[in-house]
Amino acid sequence: MRTDREWMYNSRFVIVEGRKEYNPAFIDRVVSFVEFACQQPTTDRDNDLLRCPCSSCKNRAYKSTDDIKVHVVTKGFVKNYDQWTSHGEPEVGSSSVQPNCNTSSNGDNEGPNPYRNMILEAAGHDFNPNSHENVSQPQPPDPKTKRLYELLRQADEPLWPGCTKVSQLSLVSRMLNIKSESRMTEKIYDDVMQVLEDALPPDSKLVGSFYETKKFASDLGLPCEKIDCCINGCMLYWGEEDKDMLVCKFCEHPRYKQSKTGSKKRKTKTPHRFMHYFPLIPRLQRLYASKVTATHMRWHDEHVQKDGVMSHPSDAEAWKHFDQTYPSFAEETRNVRLGLCTDGFQPFGQSGKQYSC
Ligand SMILES: [Zn+2]
Ligand SMILES: [Zn+2]
């Protein structure tokens, strides 16, 4: 904290005859702050509006100078804003103007290779890409970590000797992106890769078919669990209690298909029915791991709300009511609310058209 800016956080109130009141000196300084910002050519503006540095707008929303004065006096400055980077002052070295959601202190994260960043983001905040170079560390990395190192290596490795633009990993990610954006079928994907393979030098590191590509990129993906269920839809075999159950609690239908060869096949029992479960927590963590998606996760709190316009559920009454009911939860911008929404869901049977919720 710059000593000349301590007033921003410690002088907002004065005690007058035992009552807490806004400090006139603080108000004067806020007025001077706004004047200063208006005079700087580098101040971030939207026409006549400036970014509001109050603790609730957090330099995201643009407000009129009068609104800014009221906001800052009533709500205080956003934390750690002693360098006024949105109001005409230059960014300095390691200023902590904004909380950095990417907690890795590793400089590599800012590297010029975006695919390297992608792997580091997928690996999570506790992954240190340099730790394997540390000689004093006797333990070899676990298979998953080893695979991530391998991917990091592939992110830097040229597709063919002498190629400077494309690495093995960048080609795979770009192709997967094209495939999903254009809804390309697997057949077309394989055909395109075949053409590429023919066009490239024979010693290229091209990953061929879609099947191989998926395997290649699987470590960047998110976990998915298979959960057995009763074929009649009575129950899921989930958790410790149900782990070893062989028949349904309700209809007593066997969980597994009868194995043909008996003892030999017992290890890989096939359930009559199973479902895919996509665990939520790692997905949320991944959204916060990337700087790009992390800003989307905070948008509900940081976007400019226009009166009379509902552009997001956070502009609506239900959200505001929730925030008022749980103020400590609402205080942290990064807390997310989960909404469930369903359409065309049929609770009674798989194909019965007569019910739709
Ligand atoms: Zn504000
Ligand atoms: Zn059952």
Side-chain angles (χ1 to χ4, degrees):
M1 171 77 59
R2 286 170 52 169
T3 45
D4 59 330
R5 296 280 158 86
E6 277 168 2
W7 64 269
M8 293 169 66
Y9 301 99
N10 63 15
S11 70
R12 192 151 69 99
F13 297 105
V14 279
I15 308 293
V16 179
E17 292 166 3
R19 282 196 4 247
K20 202 170 160 186
E21 284 179 6
Y22 292 123
N23 182 357
F26 179 81
I27 297 173
D28 287 346
R29 293 185 115 154
V30 171
V31 173
S32 317
F33 161 78
V34 173
E35 277 166 9
F36 168 84
C38 290
Q39 286 159 8
Q40 307 305 312
T42 47
T43 294
D44 203 351
R45 308 160 202 264
D46 182 8
N47 296 319
D48 288 343
L49 309 180
L50 308 182
R51 288 190 185 264
C52 177
C54 81
S55 63
S56 116
C57 301
K58 299 185 176 113
N59 276 324
R60 303 286 159 178
Y62 292 94
K63 301 277 174 195
S64 71
T65 49
D66 286 343
D67 281 351
I68 291 175
K69 290 172 200 163
V70 174
H71 277 207
V72 172
V73 171
T74 54
K75 300 172 190 181
F77 279 101
V78 62
K79 277 182 207 155
N80 301 323
Y81 192 55
D82 54 326
Q83 187 72 15
W84 299 338
T85 47
S86 296
H87 301 88
E89 289 191 343
E91 195 119 15
V92 281
S94 59
S95 155
S96 52
V97 171
Q98 278 172 21
N100 190 353
C101 51
N102 202 333
T103 51
S104 167
S105 58
N106 197 297
D108 281 2
N109 244 2
E110 310 294 333
N113 183 340
Y115 296 95
R116 223 180 136 77
N117 291 349
M118 177 176 82
I119 298 158
L120 293 174
E121 285 168 358
H125 66 279
D126 47 0
F127 175 74
N128 178 5
N130 292 335
S131 65
H132 70 306
E133 285 154 12
N134 191 343
V135 190
S136 65
Q137 191 184 340
Q139 294 233 324
D142 63 88
K144 166 96 183 160
T145 314
K146 219 169 139 184
R147 181 73 192 114
L148 286 166
Y149 290 139
E150 180 66 14
L151 279 169
L152 279 172
R153 194 185 58 73
Q154 282 155 342
D156 292 330
E157 191 170 53
L159 188 61
W160 41 270
C163 170
T164 51
K165 264 193 154 170
V166 189
S167 72
Q168 191 181 21
L169 182 70
S170 75
L171 185 94
V172 163
S173 11
R174 281 161 75 179
M175 282 305 294
L176 284 177
N177 192 29
I178 295 172
K179 182 183 182 300
S180 87
E181 301 240 305
S182 61
R183 302 184 187 186
M184 194 192 274
T185 63
E186 266 182 53
K187 169 87 175 60
I188 298 176
Y189 186 94
D190 287 351
D191 289 351
V192 170
M193 294 311 270
Q194 187 59 54
V195 173
L196 273 179
E197 199 176 330
D198 294 345
L200 287 171
D203 53 353
S204 79
K205 299 266 186 326
L206 185 75
V207 183
S209 66
F210 182 62
Y211 176 76
E212 284 167 42
T213 306
K214 248 183 12 186
K215 239 171 50 184
F216 179 89
S218 64
D219 288 308
L220 294 172
L222 288 158
C224 156
E225 284 170 30
K226 273 184 186 175
I227 301 176
D228 297 349
C229 27
C230 168
I231 195 167
N232 296 320
C234 317
M235 65 173 285
L236 301 177
Y237 297 93
W238 183 79
E240 273 306 299
E241 198 188 326
D242 301 344
K243 205 176 67 187
D244 301 318
M245 282 181 65
L246 295 172
V247 294
C248 171
K249 261 189 246 186
F250 305 94
C251 72
E252 296 185 351
H253 192 284
R255 173 176 177 176
Y256 298 107
K257 288 178 183 165
Q258 197 110 45
S259 61
K260 280 166 198 144
T261 44
S263 62
K264 219 182 170 186
K265 278 224 166 174
R266 202 172 286 166
K267 279 222 167 101
T268 53
K269 286 182 278 194
T270 322
H272 278 287
R273 179 180 280 180
F274 66 89
M275 56 165 268
H276 286 109
Y277 168 62
F278 301 96
L280 184 63
I281 291 172
R283 281 165 176 77
L284 287 173
Q285 285 171 333
R286 181 69 63 87
L287 287 170
Y288 285 110
S290 162
K291 278 179 192 164
V292 180
T293 44
T295 57
H296 297 324
M297 297 299 284
R298 300 192 307 265
W299 191 84
H300 67 89
D301 189 40
E302 294 168 353
H303 74 287
V304 184
Q305 292 193 7
K306 285 192 192 129
D307 282 342
V309 178
M310 196 173 99
S311 55
H312 186 267
S314 60
D315 300 335
E317 281 308 309
W319 192 293
K320 287 172 186 159
H321 173 75
F322 182 92
D323 282 357
Q324 276 161 16
T325 318
Y326 305 101
S328 64
F329 181 90
E331 203 182 338
E332 170 58 64
T333 304
R334 288 170 295 178
N335 283 341
V336 284
R337 295 96 179 129
L338 288 182
L340 281 181
C341 176
T342 174
D343 181 25
F345 166 68
Q346 291 160 3
F348 310 109
Q350 293 289 308
S351 54
K353 284 264 156 58
Q354 62 269 51
Y355 296 103
S356 177
C357 295

